[in-house]
Amino acid sequence: MNTKMSRRRFLKRGIGSLLTGIVAVGGGGFYAREIEPKLLTIKKHTITHPVIPNGFNGFKILQFSDTHIGFQYDLSQLKELVNKINSLEPDMILFTGDLMDTPNQYAEINSIAPILKNLHAPFGSFAIYGNHDHGGYGSDLYRNVMKEAGFTLLLNEAHQVSLLTNENLYIAGIDDAMLGRPDIQATLEGIPDDAYTILLSHAPDLADQAADIGNVQLQLSGHSHGGQIQIPFLGAIIKPPFAKKYYEGFYQIGQTTDPLTLYVNRGLGTTRLPFRFLSPPEITLFTLQTLQK
């Protein structure tokens, strides 16, 4: 066991050194460290499904993820992010984990909630745990920040979102796969079979389990950073545990006629290596659209 762990650490260090060398060649290191991490992109997608209630047609959902504040992402960027999100006028905001890189070491933690509190979404803001939110003895720290910021933190539980027309959809959130105790089955219990359900899972690879259980139409995840560094012809190089299979963009999962749609957000910050290369940060705006039956 110890031999395997030592070998794994050795390989990780070797890969990290190799990637550092790659992006440093020909001035690429400056671009990957100082430019691309700040090239925020806004991805806009329409989500169609016959189960989406008519009242939610045109409903806008904003996802952001993986800020990793304290490593390369700072509070000034967070303020700009809040302004950018508000300019898109979302109906709902979803955060899919990893707020701070090392929660118990971040000296300005008390400044985060007042910034996030400026986000506006009439149907609420929701969040889940990522592995870094649990790491560094951060579970309680993260929970307190998000509560003060006005977010509903979903920990293996679901929230019903209702319109005045008595039409509903559900936002379900599970714990992190690496350092938490995710329970998809328990999280989905009590949700009507005919309801439109969005599952928030920091770890994208849990989509296979969600598809097997069923009753989830859309899963939103982060964690992967889109590979953080992508090399032409080789693709994403850095794929963390639970983001080995699904690491960027859309996937259709399941062999049924109604597969689960997974979207993996590239996130905003970086971790371990302060680089992004061919994997710029993003926020994602989804607009729901009802399909006529």
Side-chain angles (χ1 to χ4, degrees):
M1 187 70 172
N2 291 335
T3 301
K4 289 182 179 179
M5 289 301 294
S6 298
R7 184 179 181 184
R8 187 177 300 170
R9 291 193 189 98
F10 174 78
L11 289 173
K12 282 185 177 180
R13 289 172 182 169
I15 291 172
S17 298
L18 175 62
L19 293 175
T20 302
I22 289 173
V23 297
V25 173
F30 178 81
Y31 169 82
R33 180 165 186 155
E34 302 297 334
I35 298 178
E36 185 164 308
K38 297 179 177 65
L39 294 180
L40 176 63
T41 60
I42 302 172
K43 309 288 284 187
K44 296 182 179 182
H45 301 289
T46 299
I47 301 294
T48 59
H49 198 281
V51 179
I52 297 173
N54 290 331
F56 285 93
N57 193 54
F59 192 86
K60 295 191 295 183
I61 298 173
L62 189 288
Q63 180 195 10
F64 72 109
S65 194
D66 295 88
T67 46
H68 287 269
I69 298 168
F71 183 71
Q72 190 182 40
Y73 201 84
D74 59 32
L75 294 178
S76 65
Q77 289 174 281
L78 187 65
K79 291 177 182 178
E80 292 177 7
L81 173 69
V82 167
N83 292 333
K84 180 63 68 176
I85 290 175
N86 286 337
S87 73
L88 297 171
E89 299 182 336
D91 294 298
M92 179 187 297
I93 296 172
L94 306 176
F95 178 66
T96 43
D98 280 3
L99 180 67
M100 293 168 280
D101 199 64
T102 310
N104 68 333
Q105 295 181 17
Y106 187 61
E108 298 180 86
I109 187 171
N110 292 330
S111 299
I112 297 176
I115 297 173
L116 291 178
K117 203 169 185 178
N118 291 317
L119 287 169
H120 302 300
F123 287 86
S125 299
F126 299 86
I128 55 171
Y129 278 95
N131 54 299
H132 282 258
D133 303 317
H134 281 307
Y137 302 97
S139 302
D140 292 342
L141 297 173
Y142 173 69
R143 184 189 66 234
N144 293 338
V145 168
M146 299 312 281
K147 181 179 179 180
E148 184 182 343
F151 278 71
T152 298
L153 185 59
L154 298 174
L155 184 60
N156 294 328
E157 57 191 315
H159 182 91
Q160 178 180 292
V161 180
S162 302
L163 301 177
L164 294 176
T165 57
N166 291 323
E167 295 172 295
N168 309 300
L169 59 74
Y170 288 80
I171 305 297
I174 58 174
D175 202 358
D176 174 64
M178 289 182 66
L179 298 179
R181 295 180 178 179
D183 191 333
I184 300 174
Q185 186 76 56
T187 301
L188 300 178
E189 285 180 3
I191 297 178
D193 291 339
D194 59 350
Y196 186 77
T197 301
I198 300 172
L199 176 66
L200 308 182
S201 169
H202 184 67
D205 287 357
L206 292 191
D208 288 331
Q209 295 180 33
D212 288 340
I213 293 172
N215 201 31
V216 173
Q217 288 73 41
L218 176 65
Q219 177 177 317
L220 301 181
S221 297
H223 186 48
S224 68
H225 299 225
Q228 195 165 301
I229 295 173
Q230 296 200 28
I231 305 299
F233 307 111
L234 293 178
I237 301 300
I238 302 175
K239 296 180 184 177
F242 298 102
K244 301 286 188 183
K245 189 174 182 181
Y246 309 117
Y247 62 89
E248 180 182 29
F250 280 105
Y251 301 88
Q252 298 296 315
I253 301 169
Q255 302 300 317
T256 66
T257 57
D258 185 21
L260 179 151
T261 297
L262 166 66
Y263 187 82
V264 186
N265 185 291
R266 289 196 300 260
L268 292 157
T270 60
T271 189
R272 296 185 181 274
L273 297 174
F275 302 120
R276 276 188 179 269
F277 189 71
L278 301 182
S279 186
E282 70 165 274
I283 56 176
T284 315
L285 186 69
F286 302 97
T287 301
L288 302 185
Q289 179 176 299
T290 302
L291 282 178
Q292 297 299 319
K293 298 180 182 178

